[in-house]
Amino acid sequence: MNCRFLGLQLQTITLVAGVLSLTVALTAATPAGVSVPNVTPAPPQSPATASQQLAKSITVKVLSSSESGWGSGTLIQQQGDVYTAVTNEHVLVAGDPPYRIQTPDGKIHPATVKLRGASFQGNDLALLQFRSTGTVYPVAKLGATPAPGDEVFAGGFPFSYEASLPTNSPTGLEGFKFTAGKVSLVLDKALEGGYQLGYTNDIEKGMSGGPVLNRAGALVGINGMHAYPLWGDPYIFQDGSEPTPQMREQMIPLAFAIPVGTFTQNLQADRGTPAR
């Protein structure tokens, strides 16, 4: 028995052993002459695409009073209208105060140095703060130290972008660079400056202080050392010892970051609270 009611099909009414059994197949009836478009759902974002958008939203440019040069920073905290960004100590040393922070919307904010130097026990880290009363900015979510083989994403503002522009062109934030790679080394003890994560991402000068994110978008490290250093010997451990020749060969082609755990431990120690 077939019947139609309000555009639905009702099918198969049977009487079995005195009990009415009703089997219903409900299908939307399409009126004659009306076509239904074949809608293809948008594919889900890849971890790289999602991480790139996130990295760009939490990475800032650290500017000094110098006419040229800058570094990168990562927004890590909001307290009311006060924002905190972490960067590298060497970014501040390379320029002169007063410092300024350029946020992802292009606005430039006066910045004050919150912590640096001894507060981070010799690690290459510094904290800057600025105020924003009209705009709310996202901040990074902190993650755990990655393991060798883990995919990571890094961002920042390399100097090479400015070099590619005509003379006196504004740089703004168009030069943001995002790279994908993998962790190759997690050192048992840190190099001078706190560097412990060796990864394959292409890191350039100017990207120091920018974020290293895992596949979940959590902050796991702070950029600071590019591969194939041109001068000095950065491959000395904090205790003064040196890596074996074989280990050094593994280090040279890798960029290095300071694990976010090092940053949080130093910060907690400076505040007199136990690290967790």
Side-chain angles (χ1 to χ4, degrees):
M1 176 180 179
N2 294 331
C3 62
R4 289 183 180 273
F5 182 70
L6 295 179
L8 300 179
Q9 293 180 344
L10 176 63
Q11 297 179 324
T12 315
I13 299 179
T14 58
L15 185 62
V16 180
V19 178
L20 184 63
S21 173
L22 182 64
T23 303
V24 181
L26 298 177
T27 58
T30 303
V34 177
S35 62
V36 178
N38 184 16
V39 179
T40 302
Q45 282 188 328
S46 68
T49 300
S51 293
Q52 181 173 13
Q53 294 174 352
L54 175 61
K56 196 168 186 178
S57 73
I58 63 173
T59 306
V60 298
K61 215 173 196 181
V62 178
L63 307 171
S64 70
S65 61
S66 304
E67 293 184 1
S68 62
W70 62 76
S72 301
T74 305
L75 295 175
I76 58 166
Q77 188 178 62
Q78 176 197 3
Q79 293 179 304
D81 61 357
V82 177
Y83 288 83
T84 302
V86 61
T87 187
N88 295 121
E89 168 73 6
H90 76 255
V91 169
L92 302 188
V93 170
D96 298 314
Y99 302 104
R100 296 164 294 151
I101 286 181
Q102 188 171 20
T103 44
D105 57 1
K107 294 179 180 179
I108 296 178
H109 311 264
T112 58
V113 179
K114 177 66 175 176
L115 292 174
R116 65 185 298 184
S119 297
F120 288 108
Q121 301 177 17
N123 293 314
D124 187 18
L125 294 166
L127 289 185
L128 295 172
Q129 289 187 331
F130 67 94
R131 290 183 179 272
S132 173
T133 56
T135 306
V136 176
Y137 300 105
V139 298
K141 177 182 68 174
L142 305 186
T145 300
D150 286 355
E151 188 174 22
V152 288
F153 308 98
F157 297 98
F159 296 156
S160 60
Y161 175 74
E162 181 184 34
S164 69
L165 296 175
T167 304
N168 297 326
S169 295
T171 57
L173 294 171
E174 294 82 5
F176 179 78
K177 179 176 180 177
F178 178 81
T179 67
K182 290 187 177 182
V183 175
S184 289
L185 287 174
V186 179
L187 300 176
D188 293 334
K189 54 184 179 181
L191 297 169
E192 290 182 343
Y195 293 99
Q196 207 165 354
L197 298 180
Y199 51 116
T200 62
N201 305 56
D202 182 20
I203 303 301
E204 300 183 43
K205 289 184 178 297
M207 295 177 70
S208 291
V212 180
L213 306 176
N214 62 17
R215 285 176 61 88
L219 181 69
V220 298
I222 303 298
N223 294 325
M225 186 190 302
H226 60 78
Y228 302 105
L230 299 178
W231 58 81
D233 183 7
Y235 306 117
I236 299 175
F237 293 112
Q238 286 182 327
D239 64 5
S241 63
E242 298 184 15
T244 64
Q246 294 80 6
M247 177 64 74
R248 184 184 294 267
E249 289 300 313
Q250 294 181 53
M251 293 177 172
I252 290 174
L254 300 176
F256 273 86
I258 301 172
V260 72
T262 298
F263 158 72
T264 55
Q265 287 173 4
N266 288 167
L267 192 59
Q268 289 165 340
D270 180 76
R271 291 174 175 171
T273 58
R276 295 182 180 178

